[in-house]
């Protein structure tokens, strides 16, 4: 009997260029990531159409689409179902499902059909210990240069936390715009972390308390960054 060997594709990592692909979606063909350059994107997978956790997630994603767009972030979904299943499921969501006060929800972002699992495999979304026939709930946050900046994988049974997905996009944009880092549970308006001092002199000066910073020790200093400044910076219109 012939043995078929499937060579595993390496998992994409933070800092890698987002693997390129062309596919069919509910909004027409997609050329990823090229057609999204200049915008942030959340590329996410779900296990299957017509399933409850996925339905709750799609309704939530679609309801938040404008808020993601306000920070120049597009949404792109994927499952290993076919296009007609996607279309029928999204129509059912719009016409029949009311969830937590959200109803008549139209999913306007593209949902990729991936019946060959080619894209799902490229992105490490098929994790056989969990399921070899369905994608796990993967989230790839990709920046305007097409670089993967954050990755989260959730199992089939666990719906995503959308506050956290928004927080990730806003925190990464803030870190890029202000050359800072963001501490645990950071939200716009909270203090941010200044990069480590490059020399003993700079560290001593910071520790002296004369600068507009709070230093917990020589390696851990924060400064204020107002919510207004964060939001007015990241919510600017993208450059054409
Ligand atoms: C769900 O979305 O409800 C689901 C999908 C696949 C496996 C388990 C749950």
């Amino acid at each position: 009997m012939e043995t078929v060997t499937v060579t595993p594709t390496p998992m994409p990592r933070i800092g890698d260029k987002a693997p390129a692909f062309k596919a069919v979606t509910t909004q027409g063909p997609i050329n990823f990531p090229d057609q999204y350059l200049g915008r942030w994107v959340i590329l996410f997978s779900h296990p299957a159409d017509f399933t409850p956790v996925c339905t709750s997630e799609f309704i939530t994603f679609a309801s938040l689409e404008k808020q993601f767009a306000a920070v120049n972030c597009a949404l792109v979904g994927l499952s290993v179902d076919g296009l007609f299943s996607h279309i029928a499921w999204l129509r059912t969501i719009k016409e029949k499902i009311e969830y937590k006060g959200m109803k008549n929800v139209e999913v306007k972002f593209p949902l990729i059909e991936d019946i060959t699992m080619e894209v799902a495999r490229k992105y490490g979304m098929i994790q056989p210990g969990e399921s070899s026939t369905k994608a796990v709930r993967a989230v790839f946050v990709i920046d305007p240069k097409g670089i993967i900046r954050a990755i989260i994988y959730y199992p089939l049974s666990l719906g995503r936390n959308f506050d956290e997905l928004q927080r990730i996009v806003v925190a990464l944009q803030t870190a890029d715009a202000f050359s800072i880092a963001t501490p645990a549970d950071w939200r716009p308006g909270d203090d941010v972390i200044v990069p480590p001092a490059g020399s003993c002199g700079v560290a001593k000066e910071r520790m002296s308390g004369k600068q507009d910073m709070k230093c917990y020790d020589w390696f851990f200093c924060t400064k204020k960054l107002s919510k207004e400044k964060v939001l007015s910076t990241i919510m600017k219109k993208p450059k054409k």
Side-chain angles (χ1 to χ4, degrees), residues 33-51:
D34 286 11
Q35 81 183 66
Y36 288 91
L37 294 179
R39 296 158 80 187
W40 289 76
V41 193
I42 292 183
L43 172 67
F44 69 97
S45 56
H46 70 276
D49 299 343
F50 292 102
T51 51

Side-chain angles (χ1 to χ4, degrees), residues 65-133:
E65 193 180 5
K66 282 200 175 118
Q67 290 184 43
F68 281 107
V71 291
N72 190 30
C73 182
L75 304 175
V76 179
L78 174 149
S79 82
V80 303
D81 298 290
L83 187 63
F84 294 120
S85 164
H86 285 345
I87 292 169
W89 179 47
L90 298 187
R91 188 184 302 149
T92 303
I93 286 178
K94 180 168 175 353
E95 291 176 358
K96 296 198 181 150
I97 307 220
E98 174 171 358
Y99 173 69
K100 288 193 172 172
M102 298 176 271
K103 61 177 182 179
N104 301 122
V105 175
E106 196 172 342
V107 174
K108 294 182 182 153
F109 57 81
L111 174 50
I112 295 166
E113 84 154 2
D114 189 29
I115 35 182
T116 62
M117 300 193 191
E118 194 186 325
V119 181
R121 287 212 174 88
K122 269 190 179 173
Y123 276 82
M125 293 164 172
I126 304 297
Q127 305 198 358
E130 181 72 347
S131 172
S132 48
T133 55

